[in-house]
Amino acid sequence: MKTAKLKLGLAALVVSGICSGLFAAQGPFESKSDKELVDMAGKVAPEQVPDYRMELYKRTKHMNPVQRKKFYDKVMASADKNTANMTMEDFGKRMEAIHAAMKARIAKMTRAQFKASGLFMPMGPHGHGMGPFGPFGPFACHCGEHHNPHNSPKPSH
């Protein structure tokens, strides 16, 4: 009888451990609605921004381009609204903290994880180029159309 209770107790412990492990693996933003994610733009603690951006990427991956643009427009408008009253000094500190958190998170990823994370998101105006944390830095788009101040053709050598 004692062994049956011991086995039952051990089984309950294993099941609870598995369940807590599954819930712990779930990110802090997966349970949020799209509206909640939009509303929290600009309010997310810098150390949680990588998870936040990965969740945004997961949500938009299955949207068509028009829906994706509308969603990101809402996110950007909310972020602008939520940071509008920050001093430039505070905003700069926030951006530095976000950059450090992104860099630390990416450093721990494999290349495959990085690619799947969405943290490389194309941010160029033509839908190509790497985002500020991609391998080529903030000016990864090399099309020459928008980086040239006079939009004149590049001289040939």
Side-chain angles (χ1 to χ4, degrees), residues 15-137:
V15 170
S16 67
I18 290 171
C19 290
S20 66
L22 290 174
F23 291 122
Q26 182 180 14
F29 302 103
E30 289 181 5
S31 62
K32 305 282 187 203
S33 70
D34 287 352
K35 182 174 179 358
E36 287 175 307
L37 287 175
V38 167
D39 291 342
M40 63 188 351
K43 295 179 183 178
V44 178
E47 62 274 2
Q48 290 185 326
V49 168
D51 290 324
Y52 176 73
R53 288 189 181 174
M54 287 190 291
E55 184 61 29
L56 291 177
Y57 177 73
K58 282 188 226 172
R59 303 270 177 114
T60 59
K61 197 163 50 169
H62 304 291
M63 295 179 182
N64 68 47
V66 173
Q67 291 172 321
R68 186 178 304 120
K69 182 178 179 345
K70 285 181 182 177
F71 181 76
Y72 276 119
D73 286 347
K74 288 179 187 176
V75 170
M76 293 305 295
S78 180
D80 285 344
K81 182 182 127 204
N82 291 335
T83 59
N85 293 327
M86 280 184 163
T87 65
M88 288 307 292
E89 181 181 8
D90 289 343
F91 186 75
K93 287 178 183 176
R94 176 177 170 75
M95 295 308 291
E96 287 175 16
I98 289 171
H99 178 78
M102 294 287 284
K103 190 174 180 180
R105 181 63 180 269
I106 290 168
K108 295 177 184 174
M109 294 179 169
T110 64
R111 287 182 56 215
Q113 289 170 328
F114 175 68
K115 186 176 179 182
S117 72
L119 295 178
F120 67 92
M121 291 178 12
M123 295 196 182
H126 309 296
H128 60 277
M130 300 293 282
F133 305 105
F136 302 112

